[in-house]
Amino acid sequence: MKQLFLVFIGGGTGSIARYLLSKVWNTSTTGIPYGTFTANILGSLIIGLILGWAIKNNTLSSNTTLLLATGFCGGFTTFSTFAYENHNFIKSGDLMQFAIYAIASFVVGILAVFGGMWIVKMT
C-alpha cells in the first residue's frame, strides 16, 4: 500500500507541474506545444538522472525510485497529450509541424535520458 501511495503522490506532483508548464508554454499564438515538449524532454532528463544515480550509487531506495521515477516522471511526462497534439497537426494538414514535433520529441527525449545518465556517470 505504501508503494501505491508514493506513486500517487509523485504522479500528482508531476501532473501539477506539467499542467502549470503547459499553461505557460502551450500558447495558441505559435500553435507549437512547447510546454508538452519541454515536460517530456525535461522528464526524460530527470528520469535519466534518477535512474543513473540509482545504478551508479545504489543509494536510492526502491520507494524513492517509485516516488521520483515512476510517480513524478510518469505524471510529468505525457505520451497521450503528445499523441493528441500530433493528431491535431495531421488533422489540420500541418504535416511539417507533425514531422518536426514527433521526430524532435523522440530523438531529443532519448538523448535526454542518455544525457542524464551520462551526467551522473561523470560526477
Side-chain angles (χ1 to χ4, degrees):
M1 191 60 133
K2 179 180 179 181
Q3 289 83 9
L4 292 177
F5 182 72
L6 290 170
V7 172
F8 173 76
I9 294 300
T13 304
S15 294
I16 290 169
R18 175 177 30 95
Y19 171 76
L20 294 173
L21 188 63
S22 293
K23 289 294 279 183
V24 173
W25 286 32
N26 283 0
T27 64
S28 59
T29 309
T30 64
I32 300 169
Y34 290 115
T36 305
F37 180 80
T38 302
N40 287 336
I41 300 309
L42 189 56
S44 296
L45 176 65
I46 292 169
I47 204 167
L49 292 168
I50 293 166
L51 296 179
W53 184 264
I55 291 167
K56 178 181 179 186
N57 298 312
N58 202 21
T59 56
L60 290 182
S61 70
S62 61
N63 286 337
T64 302
T65 304
L66 277 174
L67 174 72
L68 298 175
T70 305
F72 181 81
C73 289
F76 187 59
T77 60
T78 174
F79 186 77
S80 57
T81 301
F82 166 75
Y84 177 72
E85 289 163 347
N86 278 297
H87 161 80
N88 286 339
F89 284 137
I90 293 169
K91 187 177 175 184
S92 70
D94 197 348
L95 299 180
M96 183 60 75
Q97 287 286 37
F98 160 72
I100 291 169
Y101 182 52
I103 292 168
S105 294
F106 183 73
V107 171
V108 177
I110 290 173
L111 289 174
V113 170
F114 279 98
M117 296 185 92
W118 180 81
I119 289 168
V120 170
K121 184 178 178 180
M122 293 294 128
T123 59

